[in-house]
Amino acid sequence: MEDAVREFNAWAPRLMDMGINLLVALLILIAGWWISSLLGGWVRRAATRSSKIDRTIVPMFYSTVVWAVRIFTVIAVLARFGVQTASLIAVLGAAGLAVGLALQGTLQNIAAGIMLLMLRPIRAGEYVALSSGADGTVEEVGLFLTRLVQGDGIHLTLPNSTVWNATITNYSRNKTRRLDIPVPVRYGDDLEQVLAKLTEIVNGREDALKDPAPQVKVFEYKENGVIVNVRVWAEASKYWDLRWGLYQQIRTSLEAAGFQPPIPLREIQNPRTGAAPAAPALGAKDSGKNVSDDAAT
């Protein structure tokens, strides 16, 4: 009995120290995790409220702050138990090198994400299209992935390396966009009246910018008519409203003014007499075939 008491008295200080170390380490771990979340939330709120900080970098900046604090917390906990942190860091560095070689694609995504945030060819809220075929509004550029929301509401997630290696068409970076609408006019219609009518339509649109001034010009000659190009500028946010509105308004206004869209015509010659037979009904391919057959006979 005396030996057990003597052995317990010998182990009691060690057990007490171990218990205190466990308690302190647990408190450090809890405090570190709480502080990391607190700092991360503060960084996110500060970045969101500031108009000078691009919200594209907020998710990556948040993750960096949070995990930097947590890594230092874990190192402090290990140091509490007497672990040599210098040798641990060296081991982690070697392990990181081995993992990096095994995960080259993942590290490539991280490097691509850093380049996307540094050069910022895309930003949150911008509508972009990639040469890979993906398009949508940028939701977030993270450490590994870029998230897009397509026009039909589908959420699209892409590796950062895919975005970085693609040709990016950014439709939202400039404040204004140009709209070109080809309007066909029949031969024989009064071209000057058509130009005047189109100019009146464009000038009457409030969402069409006055500077640069709209242009209505003859652009090209086709087999069935003259192509008039209507060129206007609009704010990027109003581009589609202007496009849809002009396409509908131009067609209805020209028809109301008596201008009909050009219809393709085809003249069939009699190879023997050189005279043209009676014109077939427009738009009927079978009629044209019958006339050519009759002419051949």
Side-chain angles (χ1 to χ4, degrees):
M1 185 68 180
E2 293 180 357
D3 293 338
V5 172
R6 212 181 291 107
E7 186 175 354
F8 174 77
N9 291 332
W11 279 96
R14 298 180 182 179
L15 294 175
M16 183 66 68
D17 291 341
M18 184 177 295
I20 293 174
N21 285 334
L22 285 174
L23 180 61
V24 173
L26 182 62
L27 292 176
I28 291 175
L29 191 63
I30 294 174
W33 243 251
W34 177 74
I35 292 174
S36 67
S37 301
L38 186 66
L39 286 177
W42 178 81
V43 167
R44 175 176 288 174
R45 287 192 300 271
T48 304
R49 292 174 183 173
S50 176
S51 59
K52 298 181 179 179
I53 299 178
D54 189 354
R55 65 189 182 99
T56 309
I57 67 174
V58 174
M60 185 176 290
F61 195 34
Y62 168 82
S63 300
T64 302
V65 171
V66 168
W67 285 105
V69 175
R70 290 179 179 179
I71 289 173
F72 281 113
T73 300
V74 172
I75 293 176
V77 169
L78 293 177
R80 185 70 190 178
F81 290 100
V83 178
Q84 297 295 326
T85 56
S87 60
L88 177 63
I89 292 174
V91 172
L92 290 177
L97 178 61
V99 173
L101 293 176
L103 301 176
Q104 293 182 16
T106 303
L107 294 179
Q108 192 177 24
N109 289 328
I110 296 176
I114 294 174
M115 295 302 296
L116 288 173
L117 291 177
M118 288 178 59
L119 301 180
R120 292 195 288 183
I122 61 175
R123 297 175 183 173
E126 293 181 337
Y127 186 85
V128 299
L130 308 179
S131 57
S132 59
D135 66 321
T137 302
V138 180
E139 182 73 14
E140 175 187 333
V141 178
L143 192 61
F144 301 98
L145 303 171
T146 297
R147 309 183 196 280
L148 304 177
V149 178
Q150 294 182 318
D152 52 1
I154 296 177
H155 199 92
L156 188 63
T157 303
L158 300 171
N160 287 338
S161 58
T162 301
V163 180
W164 176 250
N165 293 326
T167 300
I168 302 173
T169 303
N170 194 321
Y171 292 97
S172 304
R173 181 60 57 90
N174 292 336
K175 295 181 180 179
T176 59
R177 285 185 63 182
R178 194 184 77 189
L179 170 62
D180 289 271
I181 299 179
V183 180
V185 180
R186 291 190 304 178
Y187 289 115
D189 285 345
D190 192 330
L191 188 58
E192 294 298 331
Q193 290 186 10
V194 174
L195 294 176
K197 187 63 178 179
L198 292 175
T199 303
E200 178 185 350
I201 294 172
V202 172
N203 291 334
R205 298 283 306 192
E206 296 182 356
D207 45 4
L209 297 178
K210 307 306 179 185
D211 185 22
Q215 293 180 323
V216 180
K217 302 290 184 181
V218 176
F219 179 72
E220 191 177 1
Y221 296 107
K222 293 288 188 179
E223 295 180 357
N224 57 328
V226 180
I227 303 299
V228 177
N229 185 61
V230 178
R231 174 173 294 179
V232 293
W233 288 82
E235 296 179 8
S237 59
K238 299 179 180 179
Y239 173 84
W240 286 105
D241 291 334
L242 177 62
R243 181 184 179 90
W244 293 328
L246 275 180
Y247 264 97
Q248 179 178 356
Q249 189 176 358
I250 287 174
R251 187 68 271 147
T252 56
S253 298
L254 290 182
E255 288 182 356
F259 300 105
Q260 298 298 322
I263 301 175
L265 299 176
R266 178 173 296 176
E267 181 178 348
I268 302 176
Q269 295 279 343
N270 190 319
R272 296 182 180 178
T273 63
L282 295 177
K285 296 183 179 179
D286 293 337
S287 300
K289 181 179 180 182
N290 293 336
V291 171
S292 61
D293 292 340
D294 295 340
T297 57

mmCIF file of all heavy atoms in Angstrom, residues 23-56:
data_model
loop_
_atom_site.group_PDB
_atom_site.id
_atom_site.type_symbol
_atom_site.label_atom_id
_atom_site.label_comp_id
_atom_site.label_asym_id
_atom_site.label_seq_id
_atom_site.Cartn_x
_atom_site.Cartn_y
_atom_site.Cartn_z
ATOM 1 N N LEU A 23 -5.401 21.201 -20.778
ATOM 2 C CA LEU A 23 -6.406 22.244 -20.615
ATOM 3 C C LEU A 23 -5.986 23.529 -21.330
ATOM 4 O O LEU A 23 -6.780 24.144 -22.060
ATOM 5 C CB LEU A 23 -6.635 22.514 -19.130
ATOM 6 C CG LEU A 23 -7.684 23.593 -18.799
ATOM 7 C CD1 LEU A 23 -9.053 23.186 -19.354
ATOM 8 C CD2 LEU A 23 -7.756 23.814 -17.282
ATOM 9 N N VAL A 24 -4.707 23.911 -21.161
ATOM 10 C CA VAL A 24 -4.217 25.125 -21.822
ATOM 11 C C VAL A 24 -4.222 24.960 -23.337
ATOM 12 O O VAL A 24 -4.595 25.881 -24.077
ATOM 13 C CB VAL A 24 -2.809 25.473 -21.306
ATOM 14 C CG1 VAL A 24 -2.209 26.630 -22.109
ATOM 15 C CG2 VAL A 24 -2.857 25.842 -19.829
ATOM 16 N N ALA A 25 -3.798 23.773 -23.806
ATOM 17 C CA ALA A 25 -3.784 23.531 -25.249
ATOM 18 C C ALA A 25 -5.189 23.591 -25.826
ATOM 19 O O ALA A 25 -5.415 24.154 -26.904
ATOM 20 C CB ALA A 25 -3.154 22.164 -25.540
ATOM 21 N N LEU A 26 -6.164 23.016 -25.068
ATOM 22 C CA LEU A 26 -7.551 23.065 -25.531
ATOM 23 C C LEU A 26 -8.059 24.510 -25.578
ATOM 24 O O LEU A 26 -8.737 24.914 -26.530
ATOM 25 C CB LEU A 26 -8.432 22.210 -24.611
ATOM 26 C CG LEU A 26 -9.911 22.118 -24.994
ATOM 27 C CD1 LEU A 26 -10.069 21.473 -26.374
ATOM 28 C CD2 LEU A 26 -10.680 21.311 -23.946
ATOM 29 N N LEU A 27 -7.690 25.295 -24.559
ATOM 30 C CA LEU A 27 -8.101 26.706 -24.549
ATOM 31 C C LEU A 27 -7.462 27.476 -25.702
ATOM 32 O O LEU A 27 -8.103 28.309 -26.346
ATOM 33 C CB LEU A 27 -7.728 27.341 -23.201
ATOM 34 C CG LEU A 27 -8.512 26.843 -21.981
ATOM 35 C CD1 LEU A 27 -7.980 27.481 -20.712
ATOM 36 C CD2 LEU A 27 -10.001 27.146 -22.144
ATOM 37 N N ILE A 28 -6.163 27.178 -25.965
ATOM 38 C CA ILE A 28 -5.487 27.853 -27.091
ATOM 39 C C ILE A 28 -6.150 27.484 -28.413
ATOM 40 O O ILE A 28 -6.366 28.335 -29.281
ATOM 41 C CB ILE A 28 -3.991 27.472 -27.113
ATOM 42 C CG1 ILE A 28 -3.267 28.078 -25.909
ATOM 43 C CG2 ILE A 28 -3.327 27.946 -28.407
ATOM 44 C CD1 ILE A 28 -1.818 27.645 -25.779
ATOM 45 N N LEU A 29 -6.492 26.191 -28.543
ATOM 46 C CA LEU A 29 -7.119 25.737 -29.790
ATOM 47 C C LEU A 29 -8.483 26.403 -29.988
ATOM 48 O O LEU A 29 -8.808 26.889 -31.089
ATOM 49 C CB LEU A 29 -7.263 24.219 -29.757
ATOM 50 C CG LEU A 29 -7.650 23.542 -31.079
ATOM 51 C CD1 LEU A 29 -6.578 23.766 -32.130
ATOM 52 C CD2 LEU A 29 -7.870 22.052 -30.861
ATOM 53 N N ILE A 30 -9.283 26.433 -28.920
ATOM 54 C CA ILE A 30 -10.612 27.047 -29.025
ATOM 55 C C ILE A 30 -10.480 28.546 -29.307
ATOM 56 O O ILE A 30 -11.179 29.101 -30.167
ATOM 57 C CB ILE A 30 -11.413 26.798 -27.736
ATOM 58 C CG1 ILE A 30 -11.716 25.299 -27.588
ATOM 59 C CG2 ILE A 30 -12.709 27.608 -27.747
ATOM 60 C CD1 ILE A 30 -12.383 24.942 -26.279
ATOM 61 N N ALA A 31 -9.567 29.195 -28.586
ATOM 62 C CA ALA A 31 -9.379 30.639 -28.775
ATOM 63 C C ALA A 31 -8.877 30.938 -30.181
ATOM 64 O O ALA A 31 -9.319 31.903 -30.830
ATOM 65 C CB ALA A 31 -8.412 31.182 -27.727
ATOM 66 N N GLY A 32 -7.933 30.113 -30.671
ATOM 67 C CA GLY A 32 -7.405 30.336 -32.013
ATOM 68 C C GLY A 32 -8.465 30.174 -33.083
ATOM 69 O O GLY A 32 -8.550 30.982 -34.018
ATOM 70 N N TRP A 33 -9.302 29.127 -32.946
ATOM 71 C CA TRP A 33 -10.384 28.924 -33.934
ATOM 72 C C TRP A 33 -11.400 30.056 -33.877
ATOM 73 O O TRP A 33 -11.887 30.514 -34.909
ATOM 74 C CB TRP A 33 -11.060 27.579 -33.663
ATOM 75 C CG TRP A 33 -10.916 26.620 -34.803
ATOM 76 C CD1 TRP A 33 -11.892 26.208 -35.650
ATOM 77 C CD2 TRP A 33 -9.716 25.959 -35.237
ATOM 78 N NE1 TRP A 33 -11.389 25.323 -36.576
ATOM 79 C CE2 TRP A 33 -10.045 25.143 -36.348
ATOM 80 C CE3 TRP A 33 -8.396 25.962 -34.788
ATOM 81 C CZ2 TRP A 33 -9.113 24.363 -37.022
ATOM 82 C CZ3 TRP A 33 -7.468 25.189 -35.446
ATOM 83 C CH2 TRP A 33 -7.831 24.409 -36.551
ATOM 84 N N TRP A 34 -11.688 30.506 -32.636
ATOM 85 C CA TRP A 34 -12.655 31.605 -32.496
ATOM 86 C C TRP A 34 -12.093 32.905 -33.070
ATOM 87 O O TRP A 34 -12.797 33.642 -33.768
ATOM 88 C CB TRP A 34 -12.998 31.780 -31.022
ATOM 89 C CG TRP A 34 -13.937 32.928 -30.771
ATOM 90 C CD1 TRP A 34 -15.265 32.985 -31.032
ATOM 91 C CD2 TRP A 34 -13.577 34.196 -30.206
ATOM 92 N NE1 TRP A 34 -15.780 34.205 -30.676
ATOM 93 C CE2 TRP A 34 -14.764 34.977 -30.168
ATOM 94 C CE3 TRP A 34 -12.389 34.752 -29.739
ATOM 95 C CZ2 TRP A 34 -14.791 36.272 -29.669
ATOM 96 C CZ3 TRP A 34 -12.407 36.035 -29.234
ATOM 97 C CH2 TRP A 34 -13.588 36.793 -29.214
ATOM 98 N N ILE A 35 -10.818 33.177 -32.793
ATOM 99 C CA ILE A 35 -10.186 34.398 -33.309
ATOM 100 C C ILE A 35 -10.093 34.353 -34.835
ATOM 101 O O ILE A 35 -10.305 35.359 -35.514
ATOM 102 C CB ILE A 35 -8.789 34.589 -32.682
ATOM 103 C CG1 ILE A 35 -8.921 34.911 -31.199
ATOM 104 C CG2 ILE A 35 -8.020 35.704 -33.387
ATOM 105 C CD1 ILE A 35 -7.602 34.969 -30.465
ATOM 106 N N SER A 36 -9.791 33.165 -35.392
ATOM 107 C CA SER A 36 -9.707 33.055 -36.857
ATOM 108 C C SER A 36 -11.060 33.364 -37.503
ATOM 109 O O SER A 36 -11.138 34.081 -38.499
ATOM 110 C CB SER A 36 -9.219 31.664 -37.251
ATOM 111 O OG SER A 36 -10.185 30.678 -36.920
ATOM 112 N N SER A 37 -12.130 32.798 -36.937
ATOM 113 C CA SER A 37 -13.463 33.085 -37.475
ATOM 114 C C SER A 37 -13.830 34.548 -37.296
ATOM 115 O O SER A 37 -14.441 35.168 -38.188
ATOM 116 C CB SER A 37 -14.510 32.198 -36.795
ATOM 117 O OG SER A 37 -14.222 30.831 -36.999
ATOM 118 N N LEU A 38 -13.439 35.124 -36.146
ATOM 119 C CA LEU A 38 -13.733 36.532 -35.882
ATOM 120 C C LEU A 38 -13.002 37.436 -36.862
ATOM 121 O O LEU A 38 -13.595 38.357 -37.455
ATOM 122 C CB LEU A 38 -13.340 36.877 -34.444
ATOM 123 C CG LEU A 38 -13.708 38.281 -33.953
ATOM 124 C CD1 LEU A 38 -15.225 38.424 -33.892
ATOM 125 C CD2 LEU A 38 -13.097 38.538 -32.584
ATOM 126 N N LEU A 39 -11.700 37.164 -37.065
ATOM 127 C CA LEU A 39 -10.921 37.973 -38.005
ATOM 128 C C LEU A 39 -11.426 37.792 -39.440
ATOM 129 O O LEU A 39 -11.512 38.758 -40.210
ATOM 130 C CB LEU A 39 -9.439 37.599 -37.917
ATOM 131 C CG LEU A 39 -8.684 38.078 -36.681
ATOM 132 C CD1 LEU A 39 -7.247 37.564 -36.707
ATOM 133 C CD2 LEU A 39 -8.693 39.603 -36.595
ATOM 134 N N GLY A 40 -11.752 36.534 -39.794
ATOM 135 C CA GLY A 40 -12.275 36.300 -41.135
ATOM 136 C C GLY A 40 -13.575 37.048 -41.388
ATOM 137 O O GLY A 40 -13.761 37.658 -42.444
ATOM 138 N N GLY A 41 -14.489 37.013 -40.406
ATOM 139 C CA GLY A 41 -15.737 37.757 -40.560
ATOM 140 C C GLY A 41 -15.518 39.249 -40.629
ATOM 141 O O GLY A 41 -16.185 39.958 -41.403
ATOM 142 N N TRP A 42 -14.568 39.742 -39.831
ATOM 143 C CA TRP A 42 -14.282 41.182 -39.859
ATOM 144 C C TRP A 42 -13.696 41.593 -41.210
ATOM 145 O O TRP A 42 -14.075 42.634 -41.763
ATOM 146 C CB TRP A 42 -13.300 41.529 -38.747
ATOM 147 C CG TRP A 42 -12.926 42.986 -38.734
ATOM 148 C CD1 TRP A 42 -13.627 44.020 -38.213
ATOM 149 C CD2 TRP A 42 -11.737 43.549 -39.308
ATOM 150 N NE1 TRP A 42 -12.967 45.204 -38.410
ATOM 151 C CE2 TRP A 42 -11.803 44.950 -39.080
ATOM 152 C CE3 TRP A 42 -10.641 43.027 -39.969
ATOM 153 C CZ2 TRP A 42 -10.803 45.814 -39.512
ATOM 154 C CZ3 TRP A 42 -9.646 43.880 -40.397
ATOM 155 C CH2 TRP A 42 -9.731 45.258 -40.180
ATOM 156 N N VAL A 43 -12.787 40.762 -41.739
ATOM 157 C CA VAL A 43 -12.204 41.054 -43.056
ATOM 158 C C VAL A 43 -13.280 41.050 -44.131
ATOM 159 O O VAL A 43 -13.318 41.927 -45.007
ATOM 160 C CB VAL A 43 -11.091 40.033 -43.376
ATOM 161 C CG1 VAL A 43 -10.697 40.108 -44.844
ATOM 162 C CG2 VAL A 43 -9.875 40.281 -42.501
ATOM 163 N N ARG A 44 -14.180 40.074 -44.092
ATOM 164 C CA ARG A 44 -15.239 39.989 -45.099
ATOM 165 C C ARG A 44 -16.173 41.199 -45.016
ATOM 166 O O ARG A 44 -16.540 41.783 -46.046
ATOM 167 C CB ARG A 44 -16.025 38.697 -44.906
ATOM 168 C CG ARG A 44 -17.222 38.574 -45.823
ATOM 169 C CD ARG A 44 -17.899 37.225 -45.636
ATOM 170 N NE ARG A 44 -17.085 36.151 -46.215
ATOM 171 C CZ ARG A 44 -17.385 34.854 -46.098
ATOM 172 N NH1 ARG A 44 -18.465 34.491 -45.418
ATOM 173 N NH2 ARG A 44 -16.612 33.941 -46.655
ATOM 174 N N ARG A 45 -16.551 41.596 -43.803
ATOM 175 C CA ARG A 45 -17.448 42.751 -43.663
ATOM 176 C C ARG A 45 -16.771 44.035 -44.112
ATOM 177 O O ARG A 45 -17.378 44.867 -44.803
ATOM 178 C CB ARG A 45 -17.919 42.870 -42.211
ATOM 179 C CG ARG A 45 -18.923 41.812 -41.793
ATOM 180 C CD ARG A 45 -19.557 42.157 -40.464
ATOM 181 N NE ARG A 45 -18.554 42.263 -39.410
ATOM 182 C CZ ARG A 45 -18.141 41.243 -38.666
ATOM 183 N NH1 ARG A 45 -18.659 40.034 -38.864
ATOM 184 N NH2 ARG A 45 -17.241 41.401 -37.720
ATOM 185 N N ALA A 46 -15.492 44.205 -43.711
ATOM 186 C CA ALA A 46 -14.774 45.422 -44.089
ATOM 187 C C ALA A 46 -14.592 45.504 -45.599
ATOM 188 O O ALA A 46 -14.733 46.572 -46.201
ATOM 189 C CB ALA A 46 -13.418 45.467 -43.376
ATOM 190 N N ALA A 47 -14.262 44.371 -46.218
ATOM 191 C CA ALA A 47 -14.062 44.373 -47.667
ATOM 192 C C ALA A 47 -15.375 44.597 -48.410
ATOM 193 O O ALA A 47 -15.407 45.239 -49.460
ATOM 194 C CB ALA A 47 -13.420 43.056 -48.108
ATOM 195 N N THR A 48 -16.478 44.069 -47.861
ATOM 196 C CA THR A 48 -17.771 44.245 -48.520
ATOM 197 C C THR A 48 -18.253 45.680 -48.435
ATOM 198 O O THR A 48 -18.840 46.216 -49.375
ATOM 199 C CB THR A 48 -18.813 43.300 -47.887
ATOM 200 O OG1 THR A 48 -18.327 41.942 -47.969
ATOM 201 C CG2 THR A 48 -20.150 43.398 -48.595
ATOM 202 N N ARG A 49 -17.983 46.335 -47.318
ATOM 203 C CA ARG A 49 -18.462 47.706 -47.133
ATOM 204 C C ARG A 49 -17.626 48.724 -47.904
ATOM 205 O O ARG A 49 -18.129 49.784 -48.254
ATOM 206 C CB ARG A 49 -18.432 48.057 -45.645
ATOM 207 C CG ARG A 49 -19.449 47.267 -44.817
ATOM 208 C CD ARG A 49 -19.274 47.545 -43.342
ATOM 209 N NE ARG A 49 -20.204 46.746 -42.525
ATOM 210 C CZ ARG A 49 -20.168 46.708 -41.198
ATOM 211 N NH1 ARG A 49 -19.263 47.419 -40.539
ATOM 212 N NH2 ARG A 49 -21.039 45.964 -40.538
ATOM 213 N N SER A 50 -16.372 48.403 -48.166
ATOM 214 C CA SER A 50 -15.497 49.362 -48.844
ATOM 215 C C SER A 50 -15.745 49.317 -50.345
ATOM 216 O O SER A 50 -15.769 48.236 -50.948
ATOM 217 C CB SER A 50 -14.030 49.052 -48.545
ATOM 218 O OG SER A 50 -13.184 49.918 -49.265
ATOM 219 N N SER A 51 -15.922 50.471 -50.937
ATOM 220 C CA SER A 51 -16.136 50.554 -52.387
ATOM 221 C C SER A 51 -14.827 50.458 -53.168
ATOM 222 O O SER A 51 -14.837 50.289 -54.385
ATOM 223 C CB SER A 51 -16.841 51.877 -52.735
ATOM 224 O OG SER A 51 -16.055 52.984 -52.305
ATOM 225 N N LYS A 52 -13.693 50.568 -52.495
ATOM 226 C CA LYS A 52 -12.399 50.532 -53.159
ATOM 227 C C LYS A 52 -11.837 49.119 -53.291
ATOM 228 O O LYS A 52 -10.845 48.905 -53.960
ATOM 229 C CB LYS A 52 -11.388 51.394 -52.396
ATOM 230 C CG LYS A 52 -11.768 52.872 -52.341
ATOM 231 C CD LYS A 52 -10.727 53.684 -51.605
ATOM 232 C CE LYS A 52 -11.091 55.158 -51.561
ATOM 233 N NZ LYS A 52 -10.080 55.960 -50.828
ATOM 234 N N ILE A 53 -12.460 48.154 -52.627
ATOM 235 C CA ILE A 53 -11.982 46.772 -52.652
ATOM 236 C C ILE A 53 -12.886 45.968 -53.573
ATOM 237 O O ILE A 53 -14.112 45.957 -53.406
ATOM 238 C CB ILE A 53 -11.967 46.162 -51.242
ATOM 239 C CG1 ILE A 53 -11.016 46.951 -50.333
ATOM 240 C CG2 ILE A 53 -11.554 44.695 -51.291
ATOM 241 C CD1 ILE A 53 -10.979 46.445 -48.906
ATOM 242 N N ASP A 54 -12.274 45.307 -54.537
ATOM 243 C CA ASP A 54 -13.023 44.458 -55.464
ATOM 244 C C ASP A 54 -13.511 43.221 -54.709
ATOM 245 O O ASP A 54 -12.722 42.508 -54.077
ATOM 246 C CB ASP A 54 -12.123 44.057 -56.630
ATOM 247 C CG ASP A 54 -12.898 43.349 -57.731
ATOM 248 O OD1 ASP A 54 -14.089 43.078 -57.517
ATOM 249 O OD2 ASP A 54 -12.297 43.079 -58.786
ATOM 250 N N ARG A 55 -14.806 42.965 -54.774
ATOM 251 C CA ARG A 55 -15.345 41.831 -54.019
ATOM 252 C C ARG A 55 -14.919 40.486 -54.579
ATOM 253 O O ARG A 55 -15.206 39.449 -53.965
ATOM 254 C CB ARG A 55 -16.865 41.918 -53.951
ATOM 255 C CG ARG A 55 -17.608 41.797 -55.253
ATOM 256 C CD ARG A 55 -19.074 42.123 -55.057
ATOM 257 N NE ARG A 55 -19.868 41.969 -56.276
ATOM 258 C CZ ARG A 55 -20.602 40.916 -56.547
ATOM 259 N NH1 ARG A 55 -20.640 39.906 -55.699
ATOM 260 N NH2 ARG A 55 -21.316 40.851 -57.661
ATOM 261 N N THR A 56 -14.237 40.473 -55.722
ATOM 262 C CA THR A 56 -13.738 39.212 -56.257
ATOM 263 C C THR A 56 -12.684 38.597 -55.343
ATOM 264 O O THR A 56 -12.586 37.373 -55.231
ATOM 265 C CB THR A 56 -13.146 39.426 -57.656
ATOM 266 O OG1 THR A 56 -14.099 40.124 -58.469
ATOM 267 C CG2 THR A 56 -12.802 38.112 -58.318
#
